[in-house]
Amino acid sequence: MSFRADRHVHILIIGGGAIGTSVAYHLARDGAQDVLLVEKAMLTHGCTWHAAGLVGQLRGKRNLTRLMQNSVAVFDRLEEETGQHIAWKKVGSLRLAGSPERWSEIRRSMTQAKSFGVECYSLSADEAAARFPYIVKDGIEGAVFIPGDGYIDPYSLTMAYARGARTNGAKVEEGVTVEEIVIENRRAVGVVTNGGTISCDILVNCAGLWAKRVGEMAGVPLAAGVVEHQYFLTEKKLTLPPDLTTLRDPDNNFYLKPDTGSFAIGGWEDGTKGCWRGKPPIDFGRELFEPNWERLELFALPTATRIPALNEIGIQTVINGPIPVSFDGEPIMGLAPELDNFYVACGFTAGIAASGGAGLALSNLILHGDAGMDLWPFDVRRFGAVHAQGRYLEERAIEAYGAYYKVHWPGEEAQVVRGLRRSPLHDALAKNGAVFGSKFGWERPNWFAPKGSEGKDIPSFEGRPNWFDAVGEEVMAIRERAALIDQSSFSKFEISGHGALEAMQRIAANDLSGPPGKAVYTQLCNERGGIEADVTIVHISDDLLYLITGSGFGVRDGNWVSRHLPDGISLRDVTNRFATLNVCGPHARDILQSVSDDDLSNGAFPFLAARWIEIGAATALAVRIGYVGELGYELYIDQEYAAHVYDTLKAAGEPFGIADAGYRAIDAARMEKGYLYWSGDITPDYNPYEAGLGFCVALNKGDFVGREALAAIKAEGVKRKLVSYTVEGFAPFHGGEAVLLDGKVVGSTASTGYGYTLGKTIAFGYLPAEIAGSENFEIEAFGRVYRARRGPRSLYDPKLERLKA
């Protein structure tokens, strides 16, 4: 029975904070008709009203920075456009480094800023004190000043968004509480409110603190947590210059905003309190919690050390209120995979600063199907239902909150709630010295600590981390002998039903035709030719295929495929059915053949072949493919037999010097081979021809998603190309470094790593096509410029002789 409503709107937005009103404003401004925003209380009454309002643009990834840059662009024009005063104070931001490690982190971010186009300046301690004369200079290693930052009044900003939305035809209604969401055939068809029922074509969840609860009404699990956050206002006893910059001192764990005769000061202390497992009561209103003085001291006392004037003035007000913090501390945006018309924009810890860019991006996504940038670091599909589990989410949100101002080391791993998902090989690998990382809840071996060494990460910005040599030994085993790699966390999908092959032919860019028993590497592209996924498809029969993708991409890639499959074809997640074990290296065939009666010779089992074979007393689907550029086999084994297969291969490989290897060795080996990583080297912002993946595009196979755009791109030629760079020896690259030609920034690095076989540091990055043929470049890192040579994409075994041996 169809839902019958009192009234109908085209787009219904739930939540009247800065994010919700920004979405409404941008939708209406772009011409959307019949937009309605409903707020259960009054605008700003969630957490917007008590936000501090600092605006900072620089983030660790390009598109996150672009989102913040877009916000500043909105702030710059919003007041004039709407006539609503927003108190936008573009006074800049000053960030201090109180330790060598912090100064390395800041200098890295400054190099990224150069490649991102963010104006910033390196300052000495004296120069920092000149910009903010209230600080003491003791212990300051350096500072960075970003003139485009500042602070804004959250209430006035929200009212400006609302006014702009109304001016462009949208409606905003306060006092309307959504009590139920009606779902029919994968669509949110309407809502039941305290004032009647409303049907809609598109529903947008911008409910802030209540986003997780609203998601549950729609059957959408969201990893949107809520924690307590405190800041305080000093007594109004200061005479401050009107252009005084904002201040951040992460080593002393505080931020500061000038106010009228006072400072607003907050921090990100460890051990904050999680709230309601992410689900505040619906009737929670414009309320605050009692101050927690013990936690307040954790940032208030260090602040007074840096700013002695605070010892002479008191605290006037303490604000202790709930704020959103997602599972990983980043916002959650996009079209929810469970429904076809339910969009989300929630989990914004820095929601005021991000509101302009977030509203623009989500509006673009809703109206045009394209956010204007790759939003993967924010994408709702980076999470699954496991991340929304109440206790798991709360513990990780508390950790993410407390880490906000901690030094973020390259390759850092979460520490709380570990060991949730474990492969059948976990205990055996742990005994062999595995040092695990976490991906989508899985424990995965990053590297193996040699006997007698400490099995934990000791990272570095500018030097070699403690695992550097151990990973080198693993790479040498892969290149010279043989290695076993537990890849059980790979996301695996079964695609079945009459016509499954034909259906996937219309989704994949590569050609899947031909007889069964093979694997095909392919991209899944959108209508613009952008790369939505980078996967392997295993053709078992015309009615049964397996799709293999990365551990963290399963929700996203599975959702993309399911949205394009015709009726009658099913997609089933079989990740937990199969363990995955990769045996690779020049002796991989010898080892596997010694424990199998199946013919594994190159003629009988060539590169990209896939078939069921016996291994010891078990059976596995063997696929002759891999991600390290050597002869190898990915073995898909029913979970209960995985330990037996591992033990069998380990024993058989002992005469050949077989070794365990982890994901850091995979990454080093794939960089040498020129294999790409989705979300780093390739995204929806790029197409296969730009990325050098044109060999995976079968324009002559018939129609498929993106074919028309890809044909036009090939005919016209690309405007940029992905290239590889090498630097002799070790260079401290982590991605995002500026690439220079004749002293001018021409690009930035994407993936980076050390090539142990080559003895060189490797980086990938895009260049304008007209200069992509040049050979001599420079890459800037930590204030130093490194000579870099542009080379072929595949630096190791470019003719595939070892891979196809």
Side-chain angles (χ1 to χ4, degrees), residues 155-190:
Y155 177 86
S156 299
L157 174 66
T158 304
M159 293 305 165
Y161 287 141
R163 177 178 287 189
R166 291 187 179 105
T167 299
N168 287 284
K171 294 180 180 179
V172 177
E173 297 181 5
E174 298 173 304
V176 179
T177 302
V178 173
E179 298 172 340
E180 181 184 348
I181 298 175
V182 181
I183 306 298
E184 293 180 3
N185 299 321
R186 284 186 53 86
R187 296 185 67 83
V189 297

Side-chain angles (χ1 to χ4, degrees), residues 692-738:
L693 296 171
F695 65 92
C696 292
V697 179
L699 292 176
N700 59 354
K701 72 170 182 173
D703 194 30
F704 61 91
V705 179
R707 182 189 180 281
E708 186 175 336
L710 290 167
I713 291 167
K714 183 178 182 181
E716 295 170 5
V718 298
K719 296 180 180 179
R720 58 187 175 184
K721 293 183 178 180
L722 183 66
V723 303
S724 72
Y725 308 95
T726 56
V727 172
E728 293 295 327
F730 174 82
F733 296 167
H734 305 292
E737 290 83 12

Side-chain angles (χ1 to χ4, degrees), residues 428-504:
L429 299 179
K431 290 178 181 177
N432 293 345
V435 182
F436 293 95
S438 178
K439 180 72 74 170
F440 216 81
W442 286 96
E443 292 294 305
R444 312 191 314 173
N446 278 342
W447 61 287
F448 288 81
K451 289 183 179 180
S453 64
E454 188 174 15
K456 74 172 188 177
D457 286 353
I458 303 177
S460 176
F461 281 109
E462 301 184 53
R464 302 183 181 194
N466 70 314
W467 44 261
F468 184 87
D469 291 337
V471 170
E473 289 299 318
E474 294 171 29
V475 172
M476 290 304 103
I478 292 170
R479 295 283 186 243
E480 298 174 0
R481 308 188 308 276
L484 286 172
I485 308 174
D486 180 14
Q487 298 174 173
S488 297
S489 65
F490 275 14
S491 295
K492 301 168 277 279
F493 294 90
E494 178 186 88
I495 303 165
S496 61
H498 181 67
L501 178 65
E502 291 79 4
M504 288 306 300

Side-chain angles (χ1 to χ4, degrees), residues 677-694:
Y677 182 66
W678 192 91
S679 79
D681 308 311
I682 47 178
T683 73
D685 287 347
Y686 304 103
N687 64 66
Y689 293 110
E690 294 172 327
L693 296 171

Side-chain angles (χ1 to χ4, degrees), residues 385-402:
V386 63
H387 301 102
Q389 199 273 349
R391 292 175 182 267
Y392 191 25
L393 169 61
E394 185 166 281
E395 289 298 311
R396 281 293 179 93
I398 290 171
E399 181 185 49
Y401 171 93

